[in-house]
Amino acid sequence: MPNIKSAIKRVKVAEKANAANAQAKSAMRTTVKKAEQALANNAENANELVLAASKALDSAASKGLIHKNAAARKKSRLAKKAN
């Protein structure tokens, strides 16, 4: 544990950011999984779920949680499955 006041604050801020990032990344993974399962089961709302997953991937990429090319690749693969 750091002794310097600014270092203590940085640790607290980093922990908060880490928790927020983990939550956002987990939510993104969940939406992508739901979309993939819906496509596999030929669900009626599969296209809506693919759109939601695409939005979640874009959001994660803009926040720096995943690389923009990784988001593009995952979106492309989802769209390919949808067609």
Side-chain angles (χ1 to χ4, degrees), residues 24 28-29 31-32 50-76 78:
M28 182 260 313
R29 286 191 191 117
T31 56
V32 171
V50 168
L51 285 175
S54 177
K55 186 175 179 181
L57 286 165
D58 283 336
S59 177
S62 70
K63 291 176 184 175
L65 299 179
I66 60 172
H67 195 275
K68 63 178 184 143
N69 289 355
R73 181 178 65 244
K74 289 175 191 240
K75 282 172 53 179
S76 174
L78 269 176

Side-chain angles (χ1 to χ4, degrees), residues 3-67:
N3 296 327
I4 299 167
K5 191 173 184 179
S6 61
I8 292 169
K9 182 178 179 185
R10 292 308 314 157
V11 168
K12 286 182 183 177
V13 170
E15 285 175 352
K16 259 189 191 176
N18 192 19
N21 288 342
Q23 184 180 14
K25 201 167 184 178
S26 175
M28 182 260 313
R29 286 191 191 117
T30 303
T31 56
V32 171
K33 270 188 190 173
K34 283 183 181 177
E36 287 175 345
Q37 287 176 347
L39 287 170
N41 297 331
N42 294 324
E44 293 177 12
N45 62 343
N47 286 334
E48 295 171 17
L49 291 173
V50 168
L51 285 175
S54 177
K55 186 175 179 181
L57 286 165
D58 283 336
S59 177
S62 70
K63 291 176 184 175
L65 299 179
I66 60 172
H67 195 275

